[in-house]
Amino acid sequence: LWVAAGLAFLAGMPQLGIAIIAVVVLIALDIYALADVFMTARERFRSLNRVAWAAIVLLFTPIGAILWLTMGKAHRNRSGEI
């Protein structure tokens, strides 16, 4: 019932609905990237330290999260080595 009422409300304001979805996606991306920064082993960091990457992720949303996920850590190869 609540979901239907919320969808009916957002149907009348499509720009607001899109904005809310975009904000939720950006927040989820930041949370995922921050969790990944703090859960990644120190040996896998490519250049900066953990605190610097956390600051980049938080200060430069969403670019910071994208940078972390693509360039911030060494990815494992198929054999599991770094």
Side-chain angles (χ1 to χ4, degrees), residues 1-8:
L1 180 64
W2 288 101
V3 174
L7 290 176

Side-chain angles (χ1 to χ4, degrees), residues 11-69:
M13 298 182 211
Q15 295 84 5
L16 180 62
I18 292 170
I20 290 172
I21 291 170
V23 167
V24 169
V25 167
L26 290 176
I27 290 171
L29 178 65
D30 274 352
I31 290 171
Y32 177 79
L34 275 176
D36 196 40
V37 165
F38 287 111
M39 293 176 62
T40 299
R42 185 182 322 159
E43 299 81 29
R44 292 186 61 200
F45 282 74
R46 282 193 181 166
S47 56
L48 302 174
N49 64 18
R50 189 177 316 270
V51 174
W53 273 112
I56 289 170
V57 168
L58 287 174
L59 293 175
F60 301 106
T61 300
I63 302 300
I66 294 169
L67 286 173
W68 164 253
L69 294 172

Side-chain angles (χ1 to χ4, degrees), residues 60 76 78:
F60 301 106
R76 298 178 189 267
R78 293 182 188 257

